Amino acid sequence: MSDAANTQTPASSINAKNILLFALVALLFVGTGFVQSWNTALTIFNMGLISAIMALGVNMQWGYAGLFNVGVMGFVALGGLAAVLVSSDPVPEAWALGGPRILLGLVLGAATILAAILAYSRLPAGRLRMLAILVILIGGFAIYRAVIGPGVEAVEAYEPASTGFLGGLGLPVVLAWPVGGLLAAGAAWIIGKTALGLRSDYLAIATLGIAEIIIAILKNEDWLARGVKNVTGIPRPVPYEVDLQASESFLNFANSLGADPVSASTITVKLAYAGLFIVVLGVLIWLVEKAWNSPWGRMMRAIRDNEVSASAMGKDVKARHLQIFILGSAVCGLAGAMMTTLDSQLVPGTYQPLRFTFLIWVMVIVGGSGNNWGAVLGGFLIWWLWVQVEPLGLLLLQGLTAGMEEGAFLREHLLDSAAHMRLLTMGIILLLVLRFSPRGLIPER
Amino acid sequence: MDVLNAIVALANFVIIPATAYGAQLALGALGVTLIYGILRFSNFAHGDTMAFGTMVTIFVTWGFQAAGIGFGPLPTALLALPFGIAATALLAIGTDATVYRFYRTQKAKPVIFVIASLGVMFIMNGIVRFLIGVDDQRFADGERFIIGARDFREMTGLEEGLAFRTTQGITIVVAIIAVVLLFWFLNRTRTGKSMRAFSDNEDLALLSGINPERVVLITWIIVAALATTAGVLYGLDKSFKPFTYFQLLLPIFASAIVGGLGNPLGAILGGFLIAFSEVGVTYAFRKVVGYLGPEDWQPEGLLQLLSTDYKFAVSFGILLIVLLFKPTGIMKGKSV
């Protein structure tokens, strides 16, 4: 990372080797289309686009500033929450039952924390200050619980089977994407303010913790997004398959291609998503490349490579770190909102750190930390592998166990365990790249 | 007002479970803190090392059970524990030789070690899930209780029962033995002293002829023993599930950091601090307060500060408070 490479003439990322790498990854997707189905290939491709955006966000923090964020899952989940809050239909009855109480409770809770911070900074140090802060925190918590408790109960009791939450704003879901970024940015601001001044491992553990807490909140606070009852049927930015199949002009179009209308409609929907996501990814890449080549980008790298000398040059290291931490997290939040839009549902139980935090890290390291194109390439490649290792592993194990007796314990066990091959594969890939090509497939230039 | 029953209820639901959990966390945190002190990085694969050791122990336990070998009233897993430790030690040493040693000779930055440990975490997690699956496994056998709730009631005539499970008793006893052994080793033996010297000042230690590879080797063996013991005790007490072990990483890290990374005494203190706070904050104190109030009175609410799912928030909150006001932990830790 901090090699002499920085001083070389800034060669463009567009060279034969990199184009070849992208072409190879494209070949993987096209191959999937031919061998399996175009539907599968597009499904993987769409999530690949989202993974690439997440990898871009992590790469901003790690590649630009050397910040080790292992709370990606939390920011992604916040983006998902934004999709629910923006696009679900509001539940007016629930609002009437407990909405104001909940809002008031939240405001009181925030006021308690603010008051405690004020007390800490205004009062002289000593026993009195400790006492005052304790009184504020405990009293504030009691009041918060007293105010919000009945409101939460009332809202969650209202038709729990279908709603049981406050609902969203009922706005178009595309609006949720920037909102998801903003939510993640807000969370990142709070974490950054407290943890960025600390050592690198502490930031890692702080982000790991905050991500778990965000998931715990999503699972528990049913009034917010139905908790583990999940929010399904989030509106789409693209047409529904059934509507397409019912539309005269689409049927004519499908007939003219000689395709069967059902698969034509699913592929059209997926292509529409892909189009939207490509626009977002394109804009993001353009922005981060501009930033990377600007004086700001050079300053960030200077800080990353030598904090002491950068701060001697008058750069505010802490403020810059906070800035890039918020930006990178916002990109992860944006990707999270897009993912929830693609899935049309928010399922807090599916958020697992191996999939949503550490896998993104594998993408960044394998693709090339400090290179935006590398992160994008890593996003596509690793996501494709993540999906395809399972069927490939199953094939491999079927081959290995073909000679064994049908129903033998070992055979059954091996075939059942094929699903866990992917973790093994990811770990091996990460270690191999880190050891033999530590700068990734497309290194920082 | 019924102080005795209140104390018994508190002991039954808070003090005993938290002590057992604290002992498990302390053993885990000791492993993390040793790696941090000697190898100077935060090992994200620690939870999965625990899971691996426990898995091997479970397999050996099943083998013993099938062969009809038992340990009387004690769980068979204790007999199988040494095998688990041996397998985990071999795995840890192998991992060090294939992964970490390369970066050590390169003098790579600590964060590179951490990323490498992410890779190790993936692989160990994959191995464990591959071999034993993702489901819950219960492998405790032998006597279930040292004192059962009913016996206690009959013995004392109190309304409230107190159950002291065998696994909780074993956890506490084994943890004490492990900690005493560890401290004896670190403070009294030549190898232990050389480890402490290496942890305090690497350059001076090298200068005085301490073999760094030997120190690292011994460290991995001790860490494997601690991790396996912690994992088996946790699994006996609750149950074994690979994902739960991965999630234990957070309270374990919190314990090690709160106590001061690199400081073994601090890790023990941190483990109990985190365990008591987690259990205390998520326990519904309704019953205890009910006994303390006037006759036939129960408080309105559950008197539970946070629902149990927020236990991560508790360890994290404590971690944050300590870091903000005492960045190197309660007992002075080190920072790289």
Side-chain angles (χ1 to χ4, degrees):
Chain A
M1 292 231 332
S2 53
D3 305 322
N6 288 337
T7 55
Q8 286 167 6
T9 48
S12 165
S13 266
I14 304 170
N15 59 34
K17 182 197 150 209
N18 294 348
I19 291 172
L20 187 71
L21 281 172
F22 269 97
L24 282 177
V25 171
L27 199 67
L28 288 180
F29 283 92
V30 176
T32 310
F34 279 115
V35 175
Q36 287 171 293
S37 76
W38 289 101
N39 214 343
T40 316
L42 274 174
T43 309
I44 305 175
F45 180 68
N46 279 345
M47 196 53 103
L49 282 165
I50 290 172
S51 304
I53 295 177
M54 291 180 194
L56 266 184
V58 173
N59 186 41
M60 284 167 80
Q61 296 171 339
W62 169 243
Y64 286 40
L67 298 177
F68 193 61
N69 169 13
V70 282
V72 184
M73 172 179 76
F75 300 116
V76 169
L78 278 179
L81 176 65
V84 172
L85 293 185
V86 168
S87 70
S88 295
D89 288 326
V91 186
E93 295 85 351
W95 270 102
L97 283 172
R101 263 199 107 100
I102 291 179
L103 286 187
L104 182 67
L106 291 179
V107 170
L108 283 175
T112 305
I113 293 171
L114 264 181
I117 294 173
L118 265 182
Y120 179 73
S121 58
R122 293 291 164 81
L123 290 176
R127 288 241 176 94
L128 188 69
R129 183 170 79 173
M130 282 302 287
L131 196 71
I133 292 176
L134 272 181
V135 168
I136 291 174
L137 284 180
I138 295 172
F141 186 73
I143 296 173
Y144 160 81
R145 283 289 290 255
V147 170
I148 206 168
V152 168
E153 268 174 39
V155 168
E156 289 176 1
Y158 176 74
E159 294 196 4
S162 58
T163 58
F165 75 131
L166 286 176
L169 299 172
L171 296 171
V173 71
V174 176
L175 278 179
W177 300 359
V179 173
L182 281 178
L183 267 187
W189 181 75
I190 296 174
I191 305 164
K193 269 284 179 196
T194 42
L196 272 181
L198 303 166
R199 264 187 15 224
S200 57
D201 326 39
Y202 288 173
L203 176 69
I205 291 154
T207 47
L208 188 72
I210 216 88
E212 290 289 352
I213 291 172
I214 290 174
I215 300 301
I217 292 175
L218 281 185
K219 280 186 183 165
N220 264 293
E221 303 301 323
D222 287 13
W223 58 270
L224 186 65
R226 302 196 73 216
V228 286
K229 288 182 289 181
N230 309 335
V231 180
T232 52
I234 293 171
R236 283 182 176 184
V238 297
Y240 285 85
E241 286 90 345
V242 277
D243 295 341
L244 281 181
Q245 285 159 26
S247 121
E248 197 65 40
S249 54
F250 180 78
L251 288 178
N252 290 335
F253 169 70
N255 275 332
S256 70
L257 289 176
D260 121 74
V262 175
S263 58
S265 65
T266 53
I267 287 183
T268 311
V269 168
K270 293 208 161 93
L271 280 177
Y273 271 121
L276 278 175
F277 293 167
I278 287 173
V279 170
V280 176
L281 180 64
V283 170
L284 275 177
I285 290 187
W286 183 73
L287 283 174
V288 292
E289 280 289 288
K290 277 272 178 220
W292 178 261
N293 293 317
S294 68
W296 181 84
R298 280 193 292 279
M299 173 181 67
M300 295 310 296
R301 274 167 279 159
I303 292 176
R304 179 195 70 191
D305 293 340
N306 195 334
E307 281 185 24
V308 178
S309 60
S311 99
M313 298 286 283
K315 307 297 178 200
D316 188 344
V317 173
K318 212 177 159 186
R320 293 284 85 78
H321 274 174
L322 184 62
Q323 191 181 28
I324 195 80
F325 186 68
I326 290 176
L327 284 175
S329 304
V331 172
C332 292
L334 172 79
M338 291 164 64
M339 192 187 74
T340 305
T341 309
L342 178 67
D343 294 343
S344 287
Q345 55 181 356
L346 179 70
V347 188
T350 55
Y351 286 87
Q352 297 208 350
L354 279 173
R355 154 74 182 89
F356 284 102
T357 297
F358 297 114
L359 188 67
I360 311 298
W361 268 94
V362 178
M363 293 171 182
V364 173
I365 301 288
V366 169
S369 32
N371 190 313
N372 297 314
W373 292 104
V376 171
L377 180 82
F380 282 113
L381 176 65
I382 295 299
W383 180 251
W384 186 87
L385 276 174
W386 177 258
V387 177
Q388 297 290 14
V389 157
E390 201 176 318
L392 288 179
L394 194 60
L395 269 182
L396 178 78
L397 287 178
Q398 272 167 350
L400 279 179
T401 56
M404 287 186 205
E405 197 182 327
E406 192 79 23
F409 170 74
L410 184 63
R411 181 165 193 268
E412 296 294 306
H413 181 80
L414 281 177
L415 291 181
D416 284 347
S417 306
H420 309 306
M421 292 277 281
R422 45 163 65 155
L423 293 171
L424 212 62
T425 321
M426 290 305 136
I428 292 171
I429 291 176
L430 176 64
L431 287 181
L432 286 179
V433 169
L434 197 64
R435 169 86 176 252
F436 297 106
S437 172
R439 290 158 46 112
L441 292 173
I442 306 184
E444 183 183 340
R445 51 188 191 276
Chain B
M1 192 75 171
D2 191 350
V3 182
L4 268 181
N5 270 321
I7 292 175
V8 171
L10 193 70
N12 191 23
F13 293 108
V14 178
I15 297 177
I16 294 177
T19 309
Y21 182 43
Q24 291 146 12
L25 283 187
L27 288 179
L30 273 173
V32 166
T33 229
L34 275 182
I35 298 217
Y36 193 84
I38 308 282
L39 289 115
R40 298 187 162 74
F41 73 97
S42 310
N43 183 12
F44 272 73
H46 198 75
D48 291 300
T49 313
M50 282 168 60
F52 180 85
T54 313
M55 179 192 71
V56 175
T57 309
I58 291 177
F59 282 143
V60 177
T61 306
W62 286 344
F64 280 159
Q65 283 169 348
I69 303 171
F71 202 14
L74 298 174
T76 319
L78 283 188
L79 277 183
L81 182 62
F83 297 92
I85 292 176
T88 315
L90 284 180
L91 179 79
I93 294 168
T95 313
D96 185 72
T98 47
V99 180
Y100 299 121
R101 184 185 290 154
F102 172 77
Y103 300 105
R104 208 157 50 238
T105 49
Q106 296 250 309
K107 297 219 176 297
K109 281 188 275 183
V111 72
I112 301 297
F113 280 93
V114 176
I115 295 176
S117 80
L118 294 185
V120 174
M121 175 184 86
F122 265 108
I123 293 180
M124 284 191 181
N125 206 311
I127 293 175
V128 170
R129 291 185 190 204
F130 195 85
L131 291 179
I132 201 167
V134 291
D135 301 327
D136 254 325
Q137 310 283 353
R138 298 191 158 273
F139 57 102
D141 52 5
E143 274 314 311
R144 279 205 57 193
F145 291 104
I146 295 177
I147 310 170
R150 182 199 293 252
D151 296 339
F152 183 84
R153 272 198 291 266
E154 279 167 7
M155 234 155 49
T156 56
L158 285 172
E159 195 181 320
E160 194 60 37
L162 181 115
F164 190 45
R165 280 186 286 135
T166 319
T167 53
Q168 292 167 330
I170 288 174
T171 298
I172 296 167
V173 173
V174 172
I176 291 174
I177 295 173
V179 167
V180 169
L181 273 179
L182 177 71
F183 278 79
W184 169 80
F185 178 79
L186 287 179
N187 292 321
R188 292 273 184 271
T189 62
R190 203 178 151 75
T191 320
K193 284 179 189 166
S194 67
M195 275 174 65
R196 276 167 52 222
F198 190 83
S199 163
D200 286 344
N201 190 328
E202 192 178 340
D203 292 332
L204 272 184
L206 292 178
L207 207 61
S208 48
I210 289 172
N211 177 0
E213 288 304 313
R214 195 177 121 84
V215 167
V216 169
L217 185 80
I218 306 277
T219 307
W220 279 118
I221 294 175
I222 295 176
V223 166
L226 286 170
T228 310
T229 312
V232 169
L233 292 178
Y234 186 87
L236 281 175
D237 196 17
K238 296 175 175 102
S239 74
F240 173 79
K241 192 179 183 191
F243 186 61
T244 318
Y245 277 59
F246 168 78
Q247 283 189 315
L248 273 181
L249 201 57
L250 193 67
I252 284 178
F253 267 133
S255 310
I257 294 179
V258 164
L261 261 180
N263 184 327
L265 262 182
I268 297 170
L269 190 74
F272 283 102
L273 184 72
I274 296 283
F276 270 86
S277 330
E278 260 189 30
V279 178
V281 172
T282 54
Y283 173 67
F285 278 94
R286 175 188 187 146
K287 213 174 191 178
V288 177
V289 174
Y291 280 123
L292 289 178
E295 199 97 356
D296 295 328
W297 171 85
Q298 284 274 314
E300 290 273 317
L302 283 170
L303 295 184
Q304 181 184 24
L305 284 173
L306 287 172
S307 95
T308 28
D309 297 280
Y310 285 127
K311 54 180 198 270
F312 292 126
V314 179
S315 36
F316 183 73
I318 298 170
L319 175 68
L320 212 58
I321 292 169
V322 170
L323 284 187
L324 285 177
F325 298 105
K326 239 174 164 309
T328 48
I330 298 173
M331 319 274 283
K332 202 163 161 36
K334 58 175 78 211
S335 61
V336 175

